[in-house]
Amino acid sequence: MKKTISKTILATALLGMLFSCSSDDEGNSSNNPVNEDILQGDVLTGEITQDLFVPKGNYALRGAVSVKDGATLTIEKGTTFTVTAEDQAAGINLLFVEQGGKIMAEGTAQEPIVFTSENKNAEGGDGDWGGIGIHGKAKMNAPGGTSLSEAGQLPYGGNDDNDNSGVLRYVRVEYAGQASSDGQFEFNAFSFFAVGSGTVVEYCEAFEGADDGFEFYGGTVNAKNLSAVGMEDDSIDWDEGFRGSLNNVVIYQYDATGDFAFELANRSGENNASPRSKAQVSNVTLRGHNRPGKAAFDLKQGTAGIFDNIVGYNYDSMIFVNDQTQEVTNGELSFTNTFFDQYNNLVVNNVDQTDIATQLIDENPAASGADESAFANWTNFSAQGGFNQ
């Protein structure tokens, strides 16, 4: 989560040569329109203003690709999008779904949909591209109930908690987190701006990104089977009144790399803004970076949250509680069926230093955490050996 929000509309460059790659027409028919102005041979670029079907193949993702209100982008299973080194040097490359637009990206374990980069973040620092951002119409807690996304200055928020922005299933996002054109923030791998519960988010992996893996800005989307590996900032982040659920999550933080596994807030400067962030989080296993002064969970700015069946290890501290403790006292922030191991501090109360561990945590050495079998075959987490890597 970045503290500075740019009000600058992104300037994106659409220069560069076509990436040498191939595609096939499997599954394409008159019922699956291919808009040649947007899908230029093997390059996806520009604004998608009508329904577009991308047949299985290998493509370059160039510039700021946006799915506009009323349009649906459908991506066939087994498709890979790559940001080339040349396009990376030319400007910001990303995929945005705007309010009223939809993405239908339904891969399988055998044929996931992959967004990656040619450079594979070889130089470190900023990531190679801007990731995927979806803008919905669910409730969030900015004044008036709407806001503009820091990444793109696009509107999000509203009153439709059941809003449907499409499907992300078996989708990998690799090496994202490129800095904005003004250098004020970095993009996440997956950004969900007030995304509603009608949207399906299942079997998604954020891999070696320079910013957050999954960030939820308000909304009610229910996500399950999430993998975050090697993120340089936070693995999962929520704020602005997020009230969805996260079920079956694996987080692997590389040694001495990254910030928090979970950085969670309600609203900066308005701790009690309504609706309050209060997600249901269950079946999670965390492997930490063991960085001094860092924690697995950074709980701040009035967030609530119900956590169950959580296993975590290899952290300096397991939980930071910041800003206020009323959510702990009233039971709106709690951890049950929890097993933490290999840590120096269980709970650090940065509010008044009183011992709130027994109020906050119900420990259970038999807690099982995530079901790792959900990540077999299609994730880098699995390919690298899971928690045994």
Side-chain angles (χ1 to χ4, degrees):
M1 181 188 300
K2 298 300 178 184
K3 308 299 187 295
T4 303
I5 297 179
S6 169
K7 297 302 181 182
T8 304
I9 298 177
L10 298 177
T12 59
L14 302 180
L15 303 176
M17 298 176 63
L18 296 180
F19 180 48
S20 178
C21 48
S22 63
S23 65
D24 60 58
D25 293 328
E26 180 183 348
N28 189 23
S29 71
S30 59
N31 294 323
N32 295 317
V34 176
N35 185 336
E36 294 181 356
D37 293 333
I38 304 301
L39 193 61
Q40 299 177 3
D42 296 324
V43 178
L44 182 67
T45 186
E47 295 184 348
I48 299 171
T49 59
Q50 63 187 53
D51 291 352
L52 174 66
F53 174 77
V54 179
K56 177 181 174 181
N58 299 314
Y59 301 88
L61 177 71
R62 176 173 297 165
V65 179
S66 60
V67 183
K68 309 295 283 188
D69 185 6
T72 298
L73 170 63
T74 302
I75 302 170
E76 191 171 13
K77 63 184 180 180
T79 297
T80 295
F81 295 92
T82 302
V83 174
T84 70
E86 188 168 6
D87 287 336
Q88 179 184 340
I92 304 296
N93 306 273
L94 50 80
L95 175 60
F96 278 156
V97 179
E98 300 188 23
Q99 283 187 318
K102 286 187 178 181
I103 182 170
M104 304 299 292
E106 298 192 59
T108 66
Q110 293 72 36
E111 296 184 280
I113 294 169
V114 180
F115 294 82
T116 189
S117 71
E118 185 178 19
N119 278 337
K120 302 183 184 303
N121 201 17
E123 298 178 1
D126 292 338
D128 294 347
W129 67 292
I132 297 175
I134 300 179
H135 300 71
K137 300 178 181 179
K139 294 177 183 177
M140 49 87 69
N141 62 22
T146 62
S147 189
L148 298 177
S149 58
E150 65 179 31
Q153 291 294 284
L154 296 171
Y156 66 99
N159 293 301
D160 185 2
D161 279 346
N162 299 314
D163 189 34
N164 182 355
S165 297
V167 177
L168 294 177
R169 182 179 284 124
Y170 290 103
V171 175
R172 285 205 319 262
V173 170
E174 303 174 340
Y175 315 113
Q178 189 172 8
S180 62
S181 56
D182 57 11
Q184 296 300 304
F185 61 90
E186 293 172 340
F187 298 94
N188 305 306
F190 294 89
S191 298
F192 299 100
F193 298 96
V195 173
S197 62
T199 307
V200 175
V201 178
E202 300 177 349
Y203 301 95
C204 292
E205 181 176 63
F207 182 71
E208 293 190 1
D211 200 50
D212 299 337
F214 300 87
E215 183 153 4
F216 301 86
Y217 302 81
T220 53
V221 65
N222 300 307
K224 66 180 181 179
N225 301 323
L226 304 182
S227 167
V229 177
M231 305 310 297
E232 294 179 19
D233 196 8
D234 309 310
S235 299
I236 293 179
D237 198 328
W238 77 48
D239 59 6
E240 297 188 343
F242 175 56
R243 291 156 295 120
S245 66
L246 307 177
N247 180 21
N248 207 48
V249 178
V250 293
I251 293 175
Y252 193 103
Q253 294 180 282
Y254 295 157
D255 289 343
T257 301
D259 209 6
F260 302 100
F262 284 82
E263 185 183 28
L264 311 178
N266 185 41
R267 185 169 184 82
S268 177
E270 302 174 58
N271 293 353
N272 296 311
S274 181
R276 186 184 300 278
S277 294
K278 185 184 177 183
Q280 307 284 324
V281 182
S282 56
N283 308 316
V284 178
T285 301
L286 318 168
R287 189 274 188 190
H289 42 40
N290 200 23
R291 287 186 62 194
K294 296 296 181 180
F297 295 87
D298 188 35
L299 309 174
K300 61 184 187 178
Q301 296 168 359
T303 191
I306 304 300
F307 299 82
D308 181 66
N309 191 23
I310 312 297
V311 173
Y313 64 99
N314 200 43
Y315 286 93
D316 183 33
S317 298
M318 294 311 305
I319 299 175
F320 287 167
V321 176
N322 307 288
D323 304 315
Q324 61 190 51
T325 60
Q326 66 181 26
E327 287 71 42
V328 178
T329 302
N330 64 24
E332 294 291 291
L333 180 59
S334 66
F335 289 75
T336 57
N337 192 26
T338 300
F339 178 62
F340 294 142
D341 196 15
Q342 301 173 26
Y343 61 84
N344 293 320
N345 306 294
L346 180 58
V347 177
V348 178
N349 178 356
N350 291 316
V351 181
D352 58 18
Q353 289 73 55
T354 59
D355 185 358
I356 58 173
T358 56
Q359 286 182 283
L360 179 62
I361 302 172
D362 177 20
E363 296 186 84
N364 177 11
S368 58
D371 176 5
E372 292 185 52
S373 67
F375 306 97
N377 302 319
W378 65 277
T379 61
N380 290 301
F381 170 78
S382 176
Q384 294 183 171
F387 289 111
N388 296 318
Q389 60 187 279

